[in-house]
Amino acid sequence: MTSDRSPSPAQPDLPGPRSPATPYRMTVTTALAHADAVALADQRLGAWLKQEGCEEPPPTEPARGGPDAPAERLRLGDRVLLDRDDGPLRAAPDSPAGPGRYTRRRLRTPAPHGTHQLTLTLATDPDGPTWVRLEAEYQACAPGVRTPSKVPVPELARTLLPLLDASDGPAAVHNGPRVITAAGVADLIDELCDPERRLPTVVASVPANLELDDWVTGTVRPLCHQLPGLATLYVLDPAARTEFNVALEYHAVYGGAVRTYLPEVDPASRYDGARHPVMPRHRIEEDLRRAAGLLAREPRRLAAELPLPAPLAAVPVLRVPVPARRAEAGAPEQPAARGPVRSGSGHEGAAPGGGAADHAPDQLAHEQRLDDQDQQARADELELVRHSLRHSRRREHHLRAESEEQYATLRHVGAQVRVLAGRLCPGGAPGQGQRPATGPGRTPREAGGGEAPASFAELLDRLPEFPLLTFTGDQKSALALDGLGTCAGWARLTWEGLTALQEYAVAAVRGEAGGDFKQWCEHTPDGCHHFPPRKAVRGESQTVFSHTKWKRERMLPVPECVDASRRAFMGAHLRIGGGRTAPRLHYLDDCSGSGRIYVGYIGLHLTNTRTN
């Protein structure tokens, strides 16, 4: 049940990547009682099925078997299956209040070259709220089939959020952004810092030259179209923006930019600001649709990685009977009439053709138990992986903060060294006191006084010293430069350009760069490495861009998370030396998206009007 309307007729092979589509996962709470929330969810699900031309599911039976009873399976149309189950949660041994309760609905509908699967789970423990988890997945019918890049936000999510009065800790979860005035800033900051917050919070600012309503309607709402259920959404009006940025000087947002605040914000930490990505206004206005996809990437990653709340983690796996599970895996399923199909039960309306169940019930029951145990073990192992990943990410953030604090100290000491050395040797050589010693992202080797690489072979080996730069190109084009006469000077200048790009990236992911790399070079902060602005080029000429062959040369590799085609146009480049065949370094600035800069090419000048 997704926004692209299922079921649908067969279509040609889908464009896009051959990797699995990124699923949608929403986890919120509601103040409604468990039974009321279930009734509301069933009503909305039934209404959608009826709208799609499927049969409405009959009411659920109040008590159907014990905790080991299989799920009730309903066939509501051609390849439209609804599984329903409910029961007690797996209680912790020391729980004094006893187990809570869960209810689950799993809907499978046909899709081009696969199946859409929607799973809605509600879980309530005796002392807490009702948790609601909605998962939408695309399951390809065979490996190698082209799939959508991600599963769209289900219509059920957009419908249920306002009806459930959904919340995430202290924050209400809405379909669209809410405008915050100066009076609401304190509450917003409390929400950002609340330890119970699980969802990211997306905060948009308004450009000084635009009206609030026009910016919200024309830009912010379309930008946040892929975020319902994945994040809480806000827009700061001008007065609120000023107060907000004064209170959160290390986590500011302004000038039409949009910032994603991950859980566990530390407002007093300068280094924590790097965790919370900023999307600048120019990136939004260049391509609003692509910007919306980039903005949803981090919330989707977080939704997949976060451990489940305790009540949802205590929900047992769906007990689909073995014959039905085999059919889902691709084996032929026994024909059945539409309506209730309660496989594994002795009710009227059971699927005809008992098969192994008629001849070897004990063997089938044993196989069912083993299969359920295997499924549950895998689910529990996945939850342990989520907990381990969360712990590792927290440790990584802590170490990064320590590392950046040490870099800041080194930069301060390096500035003192340069001042003192300049007093002692005012006419000294560039390597003796006048060259910046360190900076945010300067390499330990450079900070310790080591030389820049003398060849491109050495430069490529030392690229891991730049943690926010990723080289995606072909090393052969760079290594070929070592055979030319001025390779040492070119390698040194390339290293200086990479160092400046690294320092810029560190500031850009915090939202402190003040513009693009060209502007950074024109106004390099004190203590950072200066790269000549005339050698930093924002993009290629219109002639190059419109020439099919020349443009193709500059379509360079990037990860799939940046572009589904694994290619992106890298017009921005650094001039390494002068002359018609002097080398170039082409890169893509994705600091506002993935938080990295991708270097796609180092080598001789690519084809243009001058190289022909």
Side-chain angles (χ1 to χ4, degrees):
M1 179 179 172
T2 57
S3 57
D4 60 352
R5 314 286 286 182
S6 303
S8 59
Q11 297 179 8
D13 194 16
L14 291 171
R18 294 187 182 273
S19 56
T22 304
Y24 171 90
R25 293 185 174 95
M26 176 188 83
T27 305
V28 295
T29 58
T30 177
L32 296 178
H34 186 94
D36 294 337
V38 170
L40 183 61
D42 281 343
Q43 188 270 330
R44 296 312 308 161
L45 184 61
W48 183 85
L49 285 166
K50 184 177 181 180
Q51 178 184 335
E52 291 297 313
C54 302
E55 296 181 13
E56 282 192 82
T60 56
E61 298 178 2
R64 222 182 33 79
D68 294 331
E72 176 189 32
R73 168 155 289 189
L74 305 174
R75 193 179 309 280
L76 305 176
D78 183 25
R79 294 175 56 206
V80 179
L81 298 174
L82 176 64
D83 295 316
R84 306 191 295 195
D85 71 329
D86 60 83
L89 297 175
R90 297 181 297 154
D94 55 350
S95 175
R101 189 158 193 85
Y102 79 92
T103 300
R104 177 167 42 208
R105 306 287 184 254
R106 190 184 74 166
L107 177 66
R108 293 170 61 85
T109 57
H113 306 290
T115 301
H116 283 306
Q117 179 169 292
L118 186 80
T119 306
L120 176 65
T121 308
L122 298 95
T124 309
D125 62 23
D127 302 319
T130 299
W131 286 89
V132 181
R133 183 168 174 87
L134 183 65
E135 300 172 87
E137 303 168 87
Y138 175 87
Q139 298 177 342
C141 60
V145 172
R146 290 191 182 273
T147 67
S149 60
K150 58 182 173 292
V151 178
V153 178
E155 288 298 328
L156 186 61
R158 301 183 191 276
T159 305
L160 282 180
L161 282 174
L163 297 177
L164 291 172
D165 290 329
S167 60
D168 171 47
V173 182
H174 299 280
N175 276 326
R178 281 198 305 133
V179 175
I180 298 294
T181 63
V185 168
D187 290 338
L188 175 57
I189 294 175
D190 288 344
E191 178 185 315
L192 292 178
C193 302
D194 194 292
E196 295 184 8
R197 181 169 68 95
R198 291 171 51 89
L199 299 183
T201 299
V202 174
V203 180
S205 59
V206 181
N209 61 336
L210 293 180
E211 293 294 329
L212 172 66
D213 291 343
D214 294 341
W215 182 250
V216 171
T217 303
T219 301
V220 179
R221 289 192 183 279
L223 184 67
C224 297
H225 182 71
Q226 301 181 26
L227 293 177
L230 298 173
T232 52
L233 315 170
Y234 299 100
V235 181
L236 299 172
D237 73 9
R241 182 195 65 230
T242 302
E243 188 170 332
F244 181 87
N245 289 338
V246 168
L248 295 179
E249 58 176 323
Y250 303 133
H251 301 72
V253 59
Y254 52 84
V258 175
R259 191 158 197 168
T260 302
Y261 295 90
L262 302 180
E264 302 176 1
V265 170
D266 183 357
S269 170
R270 176 190 300 272
Y271 310 105
D272 180 66
R275 285 201 308 121
H276 311 285
V278 179
M279 179 172 289
R281 177 185 176 183
H282 72 83
R283 173 63 64 87
I284 297 169
E285 293 181 326
E286 279 174 3
D287 189 338
L288 186 57
R289 183 176 179 180
R290 182 171 186 269
L294 291 173
L295 189 64
R297 193 162 57 193
E298 191 67 11
R300 286 205 179 222
R301 178 196 65 78
L302 194 65
E305 291 183 1
L306 268 182
L308 293 173
L312 287 170
V315 174
V317 295
L318 184 69
R319 296 192 73 252
V320 178
V322 171
R325 187 169 286 158
R326 286 174 179 164
E328 290 174 8
E333 191 175 5
Q334 294 290 342
R338 291 188 179 185
V341 182
R342 298 181 176 88
S343 304
S345 65
H347 297 80
E348 284 185 86
D358 293 336
H359 302 291
D362 293 340
Q363 180 181 350
L364 187 60
H366 177 67
E367 187 177 351
Q368 180 77 56
R369 283 194 300 271
L370 292 179
D371 191 72
D372 291 342
Q373 291 170 5
D374 180 61
Q375 294 284 331
Q376 189 65 63
R378 278 191 271 178
D380 293 341
E381 183 181 3
L382 178 60
E383 192 60 19
L384 288 175
V385 170
R386 288 194 181 110
H387 280 279
S388 298
L389 180 58
R390 187 182 193 185
H391 174 76
S392 298
R393 286 201 182 276
R394 283 177 169 171
R395 180 65 176 158
E396 179 191 22
H397 296 154
H398 175 71
L399 292 175
R400 282 186 181 274
E402 283 187 348
S403 174
E404 292 194 10
E405 188 173 357
Q406 291 170 359
Y407 273 133
T409 303
L410 285 170
R411 187 169 64 180
H412 176 69
V413 172
Q416 291 180 323
V417 168
R418 290 195 300 276
V419 170
L420 294 173
R423 291 178 182 176
L424 289 173
C425 307
Q432 299 174 349
Q434 295 181 7
R435 182 179 177 182
T438 187
R442 292 283 291 176
T443 68
R445 196 165 172 180
E446 285 279 298
E451 295 297 327
S455 68
F456 282 93
E458 182 184 354
L459 182 146
L460 293 173
D461 287 340
R462 291 174 58 183
L463 281 177
E465 295 180 20
F466 301 108
L468 295 185
L469 307 186
T470 299
F471 182 68
T472 62
D474 188 347
Q475 293 190 4
K476 293 179 182 178
S477 59
L479 294 174
L481 298 175
D482 282 340
L484 303 178
T486 55
C487 65
W490 287 346
R492 183 171 60 253
L493 188 57
T494 303
W495 185 260
E496 291 173 358
L498 292 169
T499 302
L501 280 171
Q502 167 67 23
E503 292 176 345
Y504 160 77
V506 170
V509 295
R510 297 177 182 159
E512 300 172 359
D516 60 11
F517 182 64
K518 174 81 169 180
Q519 292 170 292
W520 174 271
C521 294
E522 293 170 345
H523 307 284
T524 306
D526 293 339
C528 290
H529 186 280
H530 178 72
F531 189 78
R534 62 185 177 81
K535 292 185 177 295
V537 183
R538 284 194 175 98
E540 297 285 11
S541 66
Q542 184 62 34
T543 303
V544 171
F545 188 80
S546 58
H547 193 289
T548 303
K549 180 181 177 182
W550 298 350
K551 181 179 179 181
R552 189 185 304 119
E553 287 183 1
R554 292 157 176 82
M555 293 296 295
L556 298 166
V558 293
E560 187 179 320
C561 65
V562 176
D563 195 288
S565 68
R566 298 181 182 270
R567 293 270 168 177
F569 181 74
M570 297 192 188
H573 61 273
L574 306 184
R575 293 173 175 150
I576 309 301
R580 294 172 57 188
T581 60
R584 295 292 188 263
L585 181 154
H586 286 258
Y587 67 92
L588 176 70
D589 179 0
D590 196 44
C591 291
S592 61
S594 59
R596 307 187 70 81
I597 290 176
Y598 298 95
V599 179
Y601 178 81
I602 300 174
L604 290 177
H605 201 309
L606 295 173
T607 310
N608 67 4
T609 53
R610 295 185 179 182
T611 58
N612 277 350

